[in-house]
């Protein structure tokens, strides 16, 4: 097994009264993707900032590419690329100049820098606007330029903080393909996302953060095994039937999750054929549904399953 | 598998040239701003020379010196304030756009980012002052006894002052990280500094307390030095005083600026 490119041990981060991170440990080997799954405020961005040397942790240690993120920050910076949640490109400079600037700062010669910029502009389909200032770009184009900026130096470790937020479906797909190509070349990737399907598609392992703590960790399939391949969301006509519906669903061998105070029940299922079982169980309980939706499981379903103790 | 080049960092000289070039480019990226920036000091000169010149009592001024000749060396020094403020504004823009966080994630010295910012706005000031000087010579018949040599030295003093003020505003920007706060503080500092000085009127005409303030105002020393060089008036001792004051301010402000950058993490 190869040495871990990212290794965080017991990272704690306190901002005043707020515990943003409360003892987070994780490791990512070379050529693997770890997805940090969590809602806003879970601590994802804080962790990325710490690992990318931008923020010293309150306590705990982290090594990236073999170097300590606090005492050897400059070394770490030679090996990483980071794309933050907010686009960080020089809006007055053209696409080409943005990338050349970074390449030159990393130590590339003038001609090498130009060549690398052209290469990346092509990969990110920005060649046609390469000479225009970034302020004239659309949001999606700027996002792509930002991502390209973080890849200029062929980094060994890449941090992507919600990289697909604000991208259209095609852009999302394009980004996924780029991440997959990077990983094939041996890059270690740590990405944060709010989308379970993104984690499922890209990540070798998934870590679920909530309130600054790791609440679940494993492979995407392990996580999904608890959550189910699909989720049936049922909204009952009468909240009084919730308890009976849950009991009936459980008798039918299904895994329902519901809040007693709510008229909504979620059921993790493996296939669309299970939908009939859900409807029959509801019928047995004398509960009628106002709405039934058959969906991919979401982050919320993971949290609900965690609360129900089915994923660990 | 293709071999990829390994870039692991650049020399301080490369960082300096690349970052200065980048800041210079943002300075000239908008021709509207560039043209307006060039016009501004010329306007200042025209307005102040007309407003104050109309009531200037020749008795207060050195013998045989027209008000425009008296005013020019002062405006020469104060023109750099505008570009100095924009150095701070530029830094804050970089902070807000996340560009500073991007730089922070690279293996470079943040000092060179700030230094490049300062140099770019120093260049802006140099061009502005030069255009104004040429304008004054061509349009207003500014032809001081100090000659071209005197004007050149006065220009150098003006750039020294600009350099120290640019660092001051970079320091203010690094600490406040807010364009509004920085500009408010800047205005509060700059307005009295400019007017409570010998830039526009001789100190003798000011009331006693203001005279006391204006005498210790470092800007007065720079203006006196500039006047000495261009008009061949007395006050040769003001030149080293002005240079020293600028140097001390520039060095201090650099330390404060770096402390300001370190004080609060630049996060993505």
């Amino acid at each position: 097994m190869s040495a871990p490119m990212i290794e965080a041990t017991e990272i704690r981060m306190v901002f005043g009264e707020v515990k943003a991170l409360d003892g987070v440990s994780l490791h990512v080997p070379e050529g693997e993707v770890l997805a940090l799954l969590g809602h806003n405020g879970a601590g994802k961005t804080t962790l990325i900032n710490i690992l990318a040397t931008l923020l010293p942790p309150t306590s705990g240690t982290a090594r990236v590419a073999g170097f300590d993120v606090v005492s050897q920050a400059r070394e770490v910076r030679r090996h990483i690329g980071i794309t933050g949640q907010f686009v960080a490109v020089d809006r007055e400079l053209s696409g080409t100049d943005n990338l050349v600037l970074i390449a030159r700062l990393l130590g590339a010669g003038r001609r090498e820098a130009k060549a690398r910029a052209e290469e990346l502009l092509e990969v990110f389909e920005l060649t046609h606007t390469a000479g225009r200032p970034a302020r004239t770009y659309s949001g999606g184009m700027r996002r792509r330029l930002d991502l390209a900026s973080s890849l200029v130096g062929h980094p060994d470790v890449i941090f992507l903080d919600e990289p697909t937020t604000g991208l259209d479906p095609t852009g999302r797909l394009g980004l996924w393909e780029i991440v997959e190509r990077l990983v094939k070349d041996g890059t270690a990737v740590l990405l944060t996302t709010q989308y379970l399907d993104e984690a499922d598609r890209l990540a070798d392992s998934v870590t679920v953060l909530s309130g600054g703590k790791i609440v679940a960790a494993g492979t995407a399939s392990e996580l999904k095994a608890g959550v189910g391949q699909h989720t049936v969301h049922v909204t009952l006509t009468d909240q009084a039937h919730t308890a009976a519906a849950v009991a009936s669903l459980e008798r039918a061998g299904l895994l329902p999750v519901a809040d007693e105070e709510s008229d909504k029940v979620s059921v993790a299922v493996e296939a669309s054929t299970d939908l009939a079982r859900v409807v029959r169980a509801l019928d047995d309980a004398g509960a009628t549904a106002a709405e039934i939706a058959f969906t991919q499981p979401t982050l919320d379903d993971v949290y609900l399953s965690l609360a129900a103790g089915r994923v660990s | 598998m293709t071999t990829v080049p390994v870039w692991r960092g650049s020399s301080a000289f490369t960082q300096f040239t690349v970052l200065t070039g980048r800041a210079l480019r943002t300075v000239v990226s908008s021709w509207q701003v560039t043209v307006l920036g060039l016009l501004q000091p010329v306007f200042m000169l025209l307005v102040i020379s007309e407003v104050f010149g109309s009531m200037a009592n020749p008795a207060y001024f050195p013998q045989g010196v027209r008000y425009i000749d008296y005013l020019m060396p002062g405006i020469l020094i104060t023109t750099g304030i505008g570009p100095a403020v924009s150095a701070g504004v530029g830094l804050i823009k970089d902070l807000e756009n996340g560009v500073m966080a991007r730089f922070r994630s690279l293996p470079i010295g943040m000092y060179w980012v700030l230094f490049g910012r300062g140099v770019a706005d120093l260049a802006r000031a140099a061009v502005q002052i030069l255009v104004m000087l040429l304008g004054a010579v061509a349009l207003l018949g500014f032809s001081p006894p100090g000659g071209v040599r005197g004007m050149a030295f006065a220009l150098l003093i003006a750039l020294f002052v600009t350099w120290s003020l640019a660092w001051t505003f970079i320091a203010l920007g690094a600490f406040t990280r807010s364009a509004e706060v920085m500009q408010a503080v800047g205005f509060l500092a700059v307005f009295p500094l400019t007017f409570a000085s010998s830039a526009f009127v001789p100190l003798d005409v000011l009331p006693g307390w203001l005279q006391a303030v204006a005498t210790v105002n470092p800007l007065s020393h720079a203006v006196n030095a500039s006047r000495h060089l261009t008009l061949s008036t007395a006050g040769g001792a003001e030149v080293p005083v002005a240079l020293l004051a600028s140097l001390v301010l520039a060095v201090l402000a650099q330390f404060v600026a770096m402390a300001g950058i370190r004080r609060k993490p630049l996060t993505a």
Side-chain angles (χ1 to χ4, degrees), chain B:
Chain B
M1 196 179 143
T2 51
T3 52
V4 294
V6 180
W7 302 321
R8 294 289 182 243
S10 53
S11 67
F13 180 73
T14 304
Q15 292 173 36
F16 160 68
T17 51
V18 169
L19 289 166
T20 302
R22 172 253 165 190
L24 272 171
R25 246 194 261 194
T26 28
V27 163
V28 295
S29 65
S30 148
W31 65 266
Q32 291 102 323
V33 174
T34 309
V35 169
L36 290 172
L38 289 176
L39 285 178
Q40 200 184 314
V42 179
F43 270 45
M44 273 292 275
L45 181 66
L46 286 174
V47 170
I48 293 184
S49 69
E50 291 304 301
V51 169
F52 289 138
S54 64
M55 51 181 193
N57 182 341
Y60 291 124
F61 296 94
Q63 273 236 307
V65 173
R66 294 181 305 154
Y67 183 63
I68 181 69
D69 292 329
Y70 181 82
L71 180 65
M72 236 344 253
I75 297 260
L76 211 60
I77 300 295
T78 57
T79 299
I81 295 172
V85 174
S86 53
V89 173
L91 171 64
I92 286 168
K93 257 195 216 164
D94 283 348
L95 285 163
E96 285 171 351
N97 288 340
V99 175
M100 289 300 280
R102 162 79 67 210
F103 284 144
R104 178 74 289 185
S105 75
L106 296 172
I108 60 171
M110 294 309 275
Y111 177 75
W112 297 115
V113 179
L114 304 186
F115 194 91
R117 189 85 261 162
V119 172
D121 285 288
L122 184 68
R124 188 210 295 258
V127 175
Q128 283 187 8
I129 296 172
L130 215 57
V131 166
M132 186 190 60
L133 207 53
L134 294 175
V137 170
L139 303 174
L140 301 169
F142 178 62
S143 157
V148 175
R149 191 161 165 273
M151 281 194 258
F153 278 118
L155 177 71
L156 277 179
I157 300 255
L159 293 181
F160 244 79
V161 171
T162 306
W163 181 242
S164 63
L165 289 176
W167 273 108
T168 306
F169 281 96
I170 288 172
L172 267 174
F175 255 92
T176 63
R177 303 204 180 179
S178 144
E180 283 84 5
V181 176
M182 196 208 72
Q183 266 164 329
V185 172
F187 184 77
L188 277 177
V190 163
F191 194 73
L193 210 65
T194 325
F195 283 91
S197 79
S198 56
F200 307 132
V201 290
L203 294 187
D204 306 339
V205 306
L206 300 176
W209 68 271
L210 200 55
Q211 229 176 82
V213 172
T215 309
V216 294
N217 182 348
L219 212 62
S220 291
H221 295 287
V223 169
N224 294 344
S226 160
R227 214 160 263 155
H228 161 74
L229 292 163
T230 50
L231 304 182
S232 302
T233 48
E238 296 280 30
V239 176
V241 174
L243 291 178
L244 189 70
S246 300
L247 185 71
V248 169
L249 182 61
V251 170
L252 274 179
Q254 290 186 34
F255 278 106
V256 177
M258 286 307 287
I261 289 292
R262 278 191 216 102
R263 194 176 65 108
K264 217 166 122 203
L266 301 161
T267 50

Side-chain angles (χ1 to χ4, degrees), chain A residues 35 37 191 193 195-206 220:
Chain A
L37 203 57
L191 68 88
T193 181
Y195 307 109
L196 192 57
D197 59 333
E198 189 161 289
D200 186 32
R201 160 83 189 255
L202 292 175
D204 299 288
S205 50
V206 181

